[in-house]
Amino acid sequence: MVAVSIEKPDDHWEIETLLDTAFAPGRTSLSSYRLREGVAPVEGLCLTARDEDEIGALAGTIRFWPVMIGEKATPSLLLGPVAAHPTRQGEGIGALLILEGLEHAAKAGWERCILIGDEPYYARFGFKQSLAADIIFPPPTNPNRILAKEITRGAMAGVSGDVKRWDESLV
Ligand SMILES: CC(C)(COP(=O)(O)OP(=O)(O)OC[C@H]1O[C@@H](n2cnc3c(N)ncnc32)[C@H](O)[C@@H]1OP(=O)(O)O)[C@@H](O)C(=O)NCCC(=O)NCCS
């Protein structure tokens, strides 16, 4: 069993190591990282999953960043990175972190969430390519992997354009 907690500053290097282990080398060159540069992740939504034994090894991590979409600078969450340790995949840890993160997001008033990922996995959480059809990510991004979820019903209606880095002055 794992316990899910809000990420703490002391978790930082363990999380980076897990992400380096779970993703292919060069993960920070992915276009989604350009949207995160210089912007803090959303406090209270970044979670860890740790074993409930005395060692408490890190088994999974999820983070969310704020982004803006299109000319109207519509606020959205960007889900990711999310990872389960390679020796712990398929145990439901990814699902636990995604569901709990989205629950916190809804409580915090976020209306929509986007990500780059595989629809066959993320569809179970309500993410659809069709909801993101009018959204453009910084290159290089495979448009088929851009997914969106309406946290509140209809929240993706009319949302279109370039996904941009969060800018506090436009909020
Ligand atoms: C993707 C990831 C976070 C899922 O976490 P997890 O704890 O292993 O997944 P869960 O236990 O919640 O779900 C397992 C199920 O998802 C499926 N699944 C996992 N990754 C998938 C993918 N990319 N596409 C389709 N199905 C996928 C598994 O086949 C399994 O299916 P089943 O329930 O029918 O057996 C994890 O595999 C991981 O860390 N991968 C490497 C990093 C990564 O790619 N992160 C996501 C970037 S978008």
Side-chain angles (χ1 to χ4, degrees), residues 22-23 82-84 88-95 116-118 120-122 124:
F23 284 90
V82 56
R88 307 295 302 275
Q89 290 176 7
E91 293 180 22
I93 293 168
I116 305 289
D118 296 330
Y121 180 62
Y122 290 102
R124 67 195 74 185

Side-chain angles (χ1 to χ4, degrees), residues 102-122:
L102 290 170
E103 200 179 302
H104 285 294
K107 283 187 189 146
W110 289 92
E111 295 179 35
R112 59 194 70 73
C113 186
I114 59 174
L115 62 79
I116 305 289
D118 296 330
E119 193 175 37
Y121 180 62
Y122 290 102

Side-chain angles (χ1 to χ4, degrees), residues 76-91:
S76 175
L77 284 174
L78 173 65
L79 187 157
V82 56
H85 191 279
T87 60
R88 307 295 302 275
Q89 290 176 7
E91 293 180 22

Side-chain angles (χ1 to χ4, degrees), residues 71-170:
E71 291 304 314
K72 295 181 200 156
T74 305
S76 175
L77 284 174
L78 173 65
L79 187 157
V82 56
H85 191 279
T87 60
R88 307 295 302 275
Q89 290 176 7
E91 293 180 22
I93 293 168
L96 187 69
L97 290 168
I98 292 167
L99 289 171
E100 208 158 306
L102 290 170
E103 200 179 302
H104 285 294
K107 283 187 189 146
W110 289 92
E111 295 179 35
R112 59 194 70 73
C113 186
I114 59 174
L115 62 79
I116 305 289
D118 296 330
E119 193 175 37
Y121 180 62
Y122 290 102
R124 67 195 74 185
F125 311 108
F127 287 89
K128 292 183 193 162
Q129 198 188 319
S130 57
L131 288 170
D134 298 327
I135 288 178
I136 303 155
F137 252 74
T141 304
N142 177 348
N144 297 328
R145 286 171 51 79
I146 306 174
L147 311 179
K149 174 187 168 71
E150 294 179 330
I151 298 175
T152 55
R153 191 188 287 253
M156 288 306 295
V159 178
S160 64
D162 291 315
V163 180
K164 297 174 201 154
R165 221 174 285 163
W166 184 259
D167 180 346
E168 206 63 51
S169 70
L170 298 177

